[in-house]
Amino acid sequence: MKRIQYHQYGGPEVMRLEEFEPARPGSGEVLVRVRAAAANPMDWGIRSGAMKM
């Protein structure tokens, strides 16, 4: 599985496509497959560091 990940604040240049292996669900948990996702302006603010305390 792949995901877009960032490990530091910044613009789109800090985002990386990485391999990812989700943890196995434990007792009372489920694993959900996501087929689509979206981003909104608050997501961009968090990634850029504008929202950090």
Side-chain angles (χ1 to χ4, degrees), residues 23-41:
R24 294 241 181 236
S27 178
E29 299 178 332
V30 296
L31 180 63
V32 177
R33 179 176 291 167
V34 177
R35 291 193 159 246
N40 63 52

Side-chain angles (χ1 to χ4, degrees), residues 37-52:
N40 63 52
M42 187 171 195
D43 296 320
W44 303 123
I46 291 169
R47 192 199 72 226
S48 71
M51 309 292 267
K52 67 182 173 181

Side-chain angles (χ1 to χ4, degrees), residues 5-34:
Q5 180 71 41
Y6 64 95
H7 299 280
Q8 63 189 43
Y9 295 115
E13 68 279 356
V14 301
M15 298 176 77
R16 301 285 180 260
L17 180 63
E18 299 180 348
E19 289 290 329
F20 171 71
E21 188 62 41
R24 294 241 181 236
S27 178
E29 299 178 332
V30 296
L31 180 63
V32 177
R33 179 176 291 167
V34 177

